[in-house]
Amino acid sequence: DSGVTQTPKHLITATGQRVTLRCSPRSGDLSVYWYQQSLDQGLQFLIQYYNGEERAKGNILERFSAQQFPDLHSELNLSSLELGDSALYFCASSRGLGTGELFFGEGSRLTVL
Amino acid sequence: QQQVKQSPQSLIVQKGGISIINCAYENTAFDYFPWYQQFPGKGPALLIAIRPDVSEKKEGRFTISFNKSAKQFSLHIMDSQPGDSATYFCAAPMIKAAGNKLTFGGGTRVLVKP
């Protein structure tokens, strides 16, 4: 158990809809990262928050947004969903800003029909 | 776009055999090369990492070999066991990458046959 909690584990929705994925980082970790893993694809970095502030953006679509709350949990909002958004979405956390071990949650599997 | 190129995409090995996965990278922000292991239905977890003031690091049956001049590093799994069946990802801190700069390879699905 990595200590990172993600909900929901599975989500099925229709095109055009909006969903919110939630992540609770490991106790004491200030950085939260969101990654997307599509079928047969590697891990694509989406966005990073550190202590409530956005720190870096990767390949995140404009239809997607995220935030980190004062209690350090984070939410990833996906809107105007398309079939191609179907993927596993992972949250990871780490102690600080610099590189080091990332602790991943078990992911949220999103299916867009 | 800077990439971390990982090969092979999949690998089948007999129990007791050696699994070898290779990664090639472009210019990195600093020297830190981790390997993550992912079992089905789980998130990736750090398996082993190297900060190359050394060219090799061994932890149990897992060894990272690093060739800085060639910009390549590899994971060797010795005496492979069925429990090692998983997807393995290498990562490297690419200069132009965002966040903690770790860019992951495409993954290698390893199947160890009993």
Side-chain angles (χ1 to χ4, degrees):
Chain A
D1 183 6
S2 68
V4 178
T5 303
Q6 288 188 249
T7 58
K9 289 191 183 299
H10 302 277
L11 191 55
I12 301 174
T13 189
T15 55
Q17 296 298 303
R18 172 190 170 95
V19 299
T20 297
L21 309 180
R22 183 188 168 101
C23 169
S24 294
R26 218 171 51 122
S27 178
D29 285 358
L30 298 179
S31 275
V32 170
Y33 309 79
W34 286 97
Y35 285 85
Q36 181 191 57
Q37 185 177 37
S38 302
L39 189 64
D40 292 332
Q41 294 290 316
L43 292 156
Q44 300 295 317
F45 170 70
L46 296 179
I47 197 164
Q48 176 199 2
Y49 280 82
Y50 176 80
N51 203 22
E53 299 290 327
E54 180 185 307
R55 294 295 300 194
K57 269 187 174 181
N59 300 319
I60 188 167
L61 300 173
E62 286 191 7
R63 300 183 285 109
F64 296 179
S65 64
Q67 55 184 329
Q68 187 180 28
F69 295 87
D71 67 353
L72 301 178
H73 91 270
S74 178
E75 292 181 356
L76 178 67
N77 300 295
L78 315 175
S79 62
S80 302
L81 285 168
E82 302 175 359
L83 296 177
D85 297 328
S86 295
L88 261 173
Y89 291 85
F90 285 104
C91 170
S93 70
S94 68
R95 286 278 178 231
L97 274 172
T99 193
E101 184 171 359
L102 294 179
F103 295 87
F104 283 83
E106 295 195 345
S108 293
R109 181 174 292 280
L110 172 66
T111 302
V112 182
L113 301 176
Chain B
Q1 182 179 1
Q2 289 187 312
Q3 296 180 41
V4 178
K5 296 181 180 179
Q6 184 174 343
S7 63
Q9 284 188 310
S10 62
L11 182 59
I12 299 174
V13 62
Q14 292 295 130
K15 179 182 174 181
I18 302 174
S19 303
I20 301 174
I21 308 170
N22 299 298
C23 278
Y25 62 92
E26 297 174 14
N27 295 322
T28 53
F30 44 87
D31 289 340
Y32 170 71
F33 301 93
W35 286 88
Y36 281 76
Q37 180 188 53
Q38 183 182 22
F39 293 106
K42 301 293 185 182
L46 181 66
L47 177 65
I48 185 173
I50 191 169
R51 294 184 188 271
D53 47 352
V54 296
S55 60
E56 185 174 283
K57 181 175 180 179
K58 183 177 181 179
E59 289 185 0
R61 295 183 294 105
F62 300 90
T63 299
I64 297 179
S65 297
F66 176 70
N67 185 333
K68 188 167 185 175
S69 61
K71 295 184 179 178
Q72 295 177 346
F73 59 110
S74 60
L75 176 69
H76 290 63
I77 307 174
M78 312 300 288
D79 187 26
S80 297
Q81 299 296 311
D84 298 332
S85 297
T87 300
Y88 293 82
F89 294 95
C90 63
M94 308 310 290
I95 290 176
K96 295 182 179 179
N100 73 343
K101 298 193 179 298
L102 277 184
T103 297
F104 287 85
T108 297
R109 192 169 295 178
V110 174
L111 176 62
V112 181
K113 289 194 167 182

